[in-house]
Amino acid sequence: MTSIASTEPQAGAAPLENFAIPRQSLHGQVVTRLRDMVTEGHLAPGQRINEVALGQALGVSRTPLREALKTLAGEGLVELVPTRGAVVRSFSLKDIADSMEVLKALEQLAGRRACAVATEAEIAHVLALHEELRERYAAGDRLPYFKTNQAIHSAIVTLADNPTLLRMHEILQAQMKRIRFIGHEGVEKWAAAMAEHEEMAAALARRDGEALAEVIGRHHDLGLERIREAY
Amino acid sequence: MTSIASTEPQAGAAPLENFAIPRQSLHGQVVTRLRDMVTEGHLAPGQRINEVALGQALGVSRTPLREALKTLAGEGLVELVPTRGAVVRSFSLKDIADSMEVLKALEQLAGRRACAVATEAEIAHVLALHEELRERYAAGDRLPYFKTNQAIHSAIVTLADNPTLLRMHEILQAQMKRIRFIGHEGVEKWAAAMAEHEEMAAALARRDGEALAEVIGRHHDLGLERIREAY
DNA sequence: TGCGGCCATTCTGCATACAGTGCACAAAAC
DNA sequence: GTTTTGTGCACTGTATGCAGAATGGCCGCA
């Protein structure tokens, strides 16, 4: 049989997963959209969410919207007040520091694990992202730099090959994303952050988990410092 | 006026808060109930959840039940399969090891922070729980020991005064609770675990964060070992 | 006898309808 | 003038109804 279902795929054929038709439930789409709206500031912190109004804006009935709000509440992006519905969560400085502390611990763990278990190809991929980050920095493009920056951190966590860790990291990163959009750091801080990224890339390249964890720790301490000033 | 609403309550009268009628939303109740059903094994892993049947069993319509399932999916206790609904998540050994690794990192962080910021009274409370644990161990009561054990770990995380950390710990602990019910460890392993708890209590009493983190790490490594054997 | 296609059943996903609660504004009493 | 109580409105919480998808069984055919 030469059917698609053959257990021996042709050499050079793409894996079957690549042909899957992306079928996201409406619920999932609403969650994604809402999360973006919160993290990108289209919904202000403290703002009450009117279900009918928001539902109409999204072109969705209240049911999937409410389910999405429950999901976002689990991620800590909104708070559910009984009989008052959902409120966009507003983060105090302590909230941010707390989340940052956990984020730091998770990424340090990820860094150690990544150095231990990642393939050469995976590491090369992160290093390629690092190259991209350098270019963004040299060009002075803040938003692209910011996105590549996040991509690198996520990529390192992905290398750790630990879905639980990845999920928790995603949740915290989404919370921080909302905040980081605020601060436009000074030139010298930006340079320091970039220097730390150089260190991170070097540590990863030589699979030095402890060194990577150390610099990741410093990197987050600086990040929190930066946020503190902007607040 | 001597009405109830008087701002000057009679001496000896109980504070008004004591008369508050506890009103948890139906959603919250369903979430709690379902979570218990999963962690205590009343819903078998891999089992599909029939919304109408379960709704009738709980005496609730499908709407709040579905919302609760979304919440539980966020906690990783059930999986949502498109057009097939919710399935009780079944954990592979790797899943457990992954979650345990994160749980370990979080508790180590909590231990360090607890030693730094906890009040004497809070530490005394944990030490009291530890006394209780000793008694359970001496009496050989496994289930009460298990509960007190979890209470201690949760209490230490609470001392860290970091709600984000606490929430993530709760999620992971709920996942592990489902697993730990399985294994009834041998006598020698139990003794080792108890000895580690003695070390933990001592480290906490003298606020030695590093020592506490170290023993917590060993404690979780042993815990994973124990689960590995039972699997 | 084995396989493939068709059909019915079942259950999810989404929308809508209804009931109940809280809040704000206003009016009245002290 | 201040406080309090009543009433209307707006919005959430819950239930139910309806359409679509997937699964499993059954029958026909090779």
Side-chain angles (χ1 to χ4, degrees):
Chain A
M1 283 199 291
T2 57
S3 81
I4 295 175
S6 166
T7 52
E8 291 283 335
Q10 275 185 284
L16 287 176
E17 297 86 81
N18 293 3
F19 296 96
I21 298 171
R23 291 175 50 184
Q24 218 185 353
S25 66
L26 192 53
H27 164 75
Q29 294 180 50
V30 173
V31 168
T32 305
R33 179 65 60 91
L34 271 184
R35 187 164 30 213
D36 288 347
M37 289 177 75
V38 172
T39 56
E40 291 174 9
H42 295 108
L43 291 171
Q47 181 179 339
R48 266 187 72 179
I49 289 177
N50 185 321
E51 295 176 358
V52 281
L54 186 55
Q56 283 180 346
L58 297 180
V60 173
S61 86
R62 285 179 60 213
T63 308
L65 174 60
R66 282 177 59 84
E67 293 179 350
L69 288 172
K70 296 285 189 296
T71 300
L72 260 61
E75 297 178 3
L77 290 179
V78 303
E79 279 172 318
L80 298 179
V81 186
T83 73
R84 304 210 50 181
V87 179
V88 180
R89 182 166 162 207
S90 60
F91 293 90
S92 70
L93 191 52
K94 178 171 187 308
D95 290 331
I96 297 165
D98 286 348
S99 291
M100 191 66 111
E101 192 170 34
V102 178
L103 187 68
K104 172 176 152 184
L106 294 185
E107 276 196 33
Q108 287 180 315
L109 169 60
R112 290 196 186 90
R113 295 301 303 156
C115 287
V117 305
T119 67
E120 288 299 319
E122 287 172 330
I123 290 181
H125 173 241
V126 175
L127 294 180
L129 282 174
H130 177 68
E131 276 306 316
E132 193 179 314
L133 188 75
R134 257 195 208 142
E135 291 166 21
R136 308 296 196 200
Y137 175 72
D141 294 335
R142 284 200 133 91
L143 193 56
Y145 173 89
F146 176 76
K147 295 200 177 223
T148 306
N149 183 13
Q150 285 221 337
I152 289 175
H153 286 270
S154 297
I156 291 176
V157 178
T158 304
L159 293 204
D161 187 34
N162 183 332
T164 300
L165 178 57
L166 182 60
R167 164 127 186 84
M168 301 223 153
H169 182 264
E170 276 173 354
I171 291 174
L172 290 178
Q173 205 177 41
Q175 290 182 7
M176 291 298 107
K177 189 178 173 188
R178 170 74 191 87
I179 303 302
R180 293 205 221 233
F181 262 129
I182 299 172
H184 280 273
E185 62 209 336
V187 185
E188 68 292 339
K189 293 251 173 186
W190 195 9
M194 187 63 215
E196 283 162 0
H197 265 276
E198 294 289 351
E199 281 190 70
M200 286 167 53
L204 181 63
R206 65 176 194 273
R207 290 179 180 272
D208 187 342
E210 284 311 312
L212 181 54
E214 189 274 332
V215 63
I216 284 175
R218 264 189 289 134
H219 190 59
H220 281 87
D221 290 340
L222 180 83
L224 180 57
E225 201 59 38
R226 181 166 73 84
I227 293 171
R228 274 221 168 83
E229 290 172 7
Y231 243 61
Chain B
M1 283 201 289
T2 57
S3 80
I4 294 176
S6 165
T7 52
E8 291 284 336
Q10 275 185 280
L16 287 177
E17 297 85 84
N18 293 4
F19 296 96
I21 298 172
R23 290 174 52 180
Q24 212 187 357
S25 68
L26 191 54
H27 167 75
Q29 294 181 48
V30 173
V31 168
T32 305
R33 179 65 60 91
L34 271 184
R35 186 161 33 212
D36 288 346
M37 289 177 75
V38 172
T39 56
E40 291 175 7
H42 295 108
L43 291 171
Q47 181 179 339
R48 267 187 72 180
I49 289 177
N50 186 321
E51 294 176 358
V52 281
L54 186 55
Q56 283 180 348
L58 296 180
V60 173
S61 86
R62 286 179 59 214
T63 308
L65 174 60
R66 283 177 58 84
E67 294 181 349
L69 288 172
K70 296 285 188 295
T71 301
L72 260 61
E75 298 179 3
L77 291 179
V78 302
E79 279 173 319
L80 298 178
V81 186
T83 73
R84 304 209 50 179
V87 179
V88 180
R89 182 167 163 207
S90 59
F91 293 89
S92 70
L93 191 53
K94 178 173 188 306
D95 290 331
I96 297 165
D98 286 348
S99 290
M100 192 65 110
E101 191 169 35
V102 179
L103 187 68
K104 172 176 151 184
L106 294 185
E107 276 196 32
Q108 287 181 315
L109 169 61
R112 289 196 186 90
R113 295 301 303 156
C115 287
V117 304
T119 67
E120 288 299 318
E122 286 172 332
I123 290 182
H125 173 240
V126 175
L127 295 180
L129 283 174
H130 177 68
E131 275 306 316
E132 192 179 316
L133 189 75
R134 257 195 207 140
E135 292 166 20
R136 307 296 196 200
Y137 174 72
D141 294 336
R142 284 199 133 92
L143 194 55
Y145 172 89
F146 176 76
K147 295 200 178 224
T148 306
N149 184 13
Q150 284 221 338
I152 290 175
H153 286 271
S154 297
I156 291 176
V157 178
T158 304
L159 294 205
D161 188 34
N162 183 331
T164 300
L165 178 57
L166 182 60
R167 164 126 185 84
M168 301 223 153
H169 182 264
E170 276 173 353
I171 291 174
L172 291 178
Q173 205 177 42
Q175 289 182 7
M176 291 297 109
K177 189 178 173 188
R178 169 76 191 88
I179 302 302
R180 294 204 221 233
F181 263 132
I182 299 173
H184 279 274
E185 63 208 336
V187 185
E188 67 291 339
K189 294 251 172 185
W190 194 8
M194 187 63 216
E196 282 162 1
H197 265 276
E198 294 290 351
E199 281 190 68
M200 286 167 52
L204 180 63
R206 65 176 194 272
R207 290 180 180 271
D208 187 341
E210 285 311 312
L212 181 54
E214 189 274 332
V215 62
I216 285 176
R218 264 189 290 134
H219 190 59
H220 281 87
D221 290 340
L222 180 84
L224 180 57
E225 200 60 37
R226 182 166 73 84
I227 293 171
R228 274 221 167 83
E229 289 171 8
Y231 243 61

